[in-house]
Amino acid sequence: MINHRILGHFHESAELKIQAASTLAPAIAQAVDLMFAALSNGNKILACGNGGSAADAQHFAAELVGRFERERLPLPALSLSTDTSILTAVANDYSFRDIFAKQVQALGQPGDVLLAITTSGNSENVIAAVEEALERDMRVVALTGKGGGRMAQLITDADVHLCVPHERTARIQEVHLLTLHCLCDGIDVALFGGDVHE
């Protein structure tokens, strides 16, 4: 019984990745271009999300500041999900809705990119961060699923929406992780040329 369930997870995940590839690839390429332009102009990438999406935001920032698959200079990226003093102070003194928006207000500059991750597209604190980013003339790359939720109506034509065509949170997160690795690889190739695995 458990083996059957495990095989089901693998098959569903693999099938979704194949299904989503043709839909997401052009938008991922657009997101790479947007992030490349920001980094080339001396701007930075801020990333945010809740729960597993917070871990993804942190993972993405770590790949840029450290390295992905090649030795290179560090790239300016920051996860807004990691400073517990800021998170708890803002949540306590204002509201949980403001935990990312306040950081975007403090750290975001015109030309920066906000990577906003929410599997439902409806996380209020991520939505608030996007609203603040757009007010500050930042660009947004949104990773969602489940049709995109409120996020789909919020971002502009200058932004990039990467919406995984699935309803199950675990499957959406698995495609989000692959997407983040595609972004890291694309940024490295755009900035430094070639490919370690070509």
Side-chain angles (χ1 to χ4, degrees), residues 3-189:
N3 281 355
H4 179 72
R5 290 185 65 86
I6 291 167
L7 287 171
H9 285 299
F10 272 86
H11 288 201
E12 188 177 66
S13 183
E15 287 166 9
L16 175 60
K17 287 170 181 165
I18 296 300
Q19 172 197 341
S22 59
T23 303
L24 292 180
I28 294 172
Q30 287 181 321
V32 168
D33 289 343
L34 191 153
M35 291 178 169
F36 166 70
L39 294 168
S40 296
N41 289 325
N43 289 101
K44 62 186 173 296
I45 300 173
L46 305 178
C48 66
N50 297 293
S53 297
D56 285 343
Q58 187 173 347
H59 179 98
F60 180 75
E63 300 285 27
L64 293 192
V65 173
R67 65 177 179 189
F68 180 54
E69 291 186 324
R70 67 172 69 201
E71 290 298 333
R72 55 155 167 76
L73 294 173
L75 300 174
L78 181 66
S79 170
L80 305 182
S81 308
T82 56
D83 190 320
T84 55
S85 294
I86 291 175
L87 295 174
T88 55
V90 173
N92 184 64
D93 295 346
Y94 298 93
S95 75
F96 189 71
R97 181 183 185 277
D98 295 324
I99 61 171
F100 302 136
K102 288 281 188 186
Q103 294 183 76
V104 171
Q105 192 173 24
L107 303 170
Q109 298 293 328
D112 288 348
V113 174
L114 177 68
L115 176 65
I117 311 173
T118 162
T119 57
S120 68
N122 293 318
S123 301
E124 284 195 18
N125 53 9
V126 178
I127 294 288
V130 169
E131 291 171 342
E132 189 62 46
L134 295 176
E135 284 288 320
R136 301 183 71 77
D137 199 26
M138 296 169 59
R139 297 280 61 85
V140 175
V141 173
L143 268 64
T144 69
K146 305 181 183 182
R150 290 168 50 204
M151 186 72 75
Q153 283 75 51
L154 183 61
I155 61 174
T156 73
D157 290 340
D159 306 310
V160 180
H161 185 196
L162 301 167
C163 182
V164 178
H166 210 273
E167 294 296 316
R168 192 170 180 181
T169 298
R171 298 291 90 87
I172 294 166
Q173 289 175 327
E174 288 158 8
V175 177
H176 280 181
L177 180 58
L178 177 57
T179 299
L180 293 176
H181 286 164
C182 289
L183 291 173
C184 291
D185 178 69
I187 289 167
D188 275 3
V189 171

